């Protein structure tokens, strides 16, 4: 069974540009969550999507947005990039409904974004 | 406010020297506590889920336990390949996960 895939793996952008990152969850998983990981802050929750609906959002500015498609694939977008947006962006998928093992998240390898 | 604190921040062990990592949490309505292992430059790898106080799970040299306030990850007779950052996360009664900042474990041969 294929794991979570993220594209691209590495990205270099300049301040003011925008970027779109993609995530394909494990087959059958309907929930996708996005995280930002930096050395100082650790893993910070961005948002979670389930069946194309955003169920929760972390404390990030409106420049960070996302969406989920009917096949559960998800994209996140960051507009007007700032130097502080340099980070590893991780996507995680889970079955997502009900409780128990449906909550177990499986992570992709991440997209390393560098903003110059 | 929901919060997760992991200790110690870093730990160096000799091969075979057993120890424990701690994850203390404060959440409203715990719906699961999760342990992950993360190697440099990679995404976290799922290890365990615990749901209720008193629950224990084991995998090879790792054993996770849960109380009402904290969880422990016990590492028995570690090997150098166990070197990684170990992350703890909780899922409160909302659709999000809160992660601790992790414990960086280094096992020396």
């Amino acid at each position: 069974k294929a794991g979570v895939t993220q594209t691209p793996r590495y990205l270099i952008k300049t301040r003011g540009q925008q970027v779109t990152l993609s995530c394909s969850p494990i087959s059958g998983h309907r929930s996708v969550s996005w995280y930002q990981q930096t050395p100082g802050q650790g893993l910070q929750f961005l948002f979670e999507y389930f069946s194309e609906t955003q169920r929760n959002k972390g404390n990030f500015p409106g420049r960070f947005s996302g969406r989920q498609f009917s096949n559960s694939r998800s994209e996140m977008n960051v507009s007007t990039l700032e130097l502080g947006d340099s980070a590893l962006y991780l996507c995680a998928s889970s079955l997502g409904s009900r409780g128990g093992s449906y909550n177990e998240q499986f992570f992709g390898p991440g997209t390393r974004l560098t903003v110059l | 406010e929901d919060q997760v604190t992991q200790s110690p921040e870093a730990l160096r062990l000799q091969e075979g020297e057993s120890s424990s990592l701690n994850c203390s949490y404060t959440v409203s309505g715990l719906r699961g506590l999760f342990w992950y292992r993360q190697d440099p430059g990679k995404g976290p790898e799922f290890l365990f889920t615990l749901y209720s106080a008193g629950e224990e799970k084991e995998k090879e040299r790792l054993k996770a336990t849960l109380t009402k306030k904290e969880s422990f990850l016990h590492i028995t007779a570690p090997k150098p390949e166990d070197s990684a950052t170990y992350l703890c996360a909780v899922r409160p009664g909302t659709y999000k996960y809160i992660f601790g900042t992790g414990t960086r474990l280094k096992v020396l041969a």
Side-chain angles (χ1 to χ4, degrees), chain B residues 7-25:
Chain B
S7 61
E9 286 187 18
L11 183 62
R12 291 167 68 93
L13 298 173
Q14 289 295 131
E15 185 172 5
E17 180 187 1
S18 301
S19 187
S20 295
L21 313 182
N22 178 264
C23 171
S24 298
Y25 63 91

Side-chain angles (χ1 to χ4, degrees), chain B residues 40-79:
Chain B
K42 296 187 177 182
E45 174 190 346
F46 173 78
L47 292 173
F48 303 109
T49 310
L50 302 166
Y51 291 101
S52 55
E55 190 174 357
E56 299 182 351
K57 288 193 177 171
E58 287 187 70
K59 179 181 178 179
E60 296 180 0
R61 295 178 292 281
L62 301 176
K63 178 180 177 180
T65 61
L66 181 65
T67 71
K68 289 187 178 179
K69 297 286 187 184
E70 57 192 349
S71 177
F72 292 94
L73 184 66
H74 307 278
I75 303 177
T76 302
K79 299 181 178 182

Side-chain angles (χ1 to χ4, degrees), chain A:
Chain A
K1 196 173 190 181
V4 178
T5 58
Q6 292 187 245
T7 56
R9 292 293 313 280
Y10 303 91
L11 208 48
I12 299 176
K13 292 286 187 179
T14 56
R15 280 181 300 173
Q17 288 188 307
Q18 77 166 24
V19 66
T20 299
L21 312 181
S22 180
C23 171
S24 292
I26 292 171
S27 178
H29 284 194
R30 296 165 65 190
S31 170
V32 173
S33 296
W34 287 90
Y35 295 87
Q36 181 194 68
Q37 187 174 34
T38 57
Q41 298 293 318
L43 267 147
Q44 300 288 308
F45 173 76
L46 280 155
F47 25 67
E48 192 237 8
Y49 287 88
F50 178 78
S51 292
E52 302 179 68
T53 300
Q54 187 182 87
R55 293 201 294 194
N56 208 335
K57 190 176 189 305
N59 296 325
F60 279 82
R63 301 185 295 107
F64 291 82
S65 63
R67 59 178 175 168
Q68 186 180 33
F69 302 96
S70 58
N71 62 357
S72 294
R73 190 177 69 85
S74 178
E75 289 181 347
M76 69 162 278
N77 184 275
V78 188
S79 62
T80 319
L81 284 166
E82 301 177 358
L83 295 179
D85 296 333
S86 294
L88 180 67
Y89 289 88
L90 291 159
C91 162
S93 78
S94 69
L95 287 166
S97 61
R98 299 181 237 168
S101 62
Y102 286 78
N103 291 329
E104 293 170 359
Q105 287 193 314
F106 297 86
F107 283 82
T111 294
R112 172 72 63 184
L113 173 64
T114 301
V115 182
L116 303 176

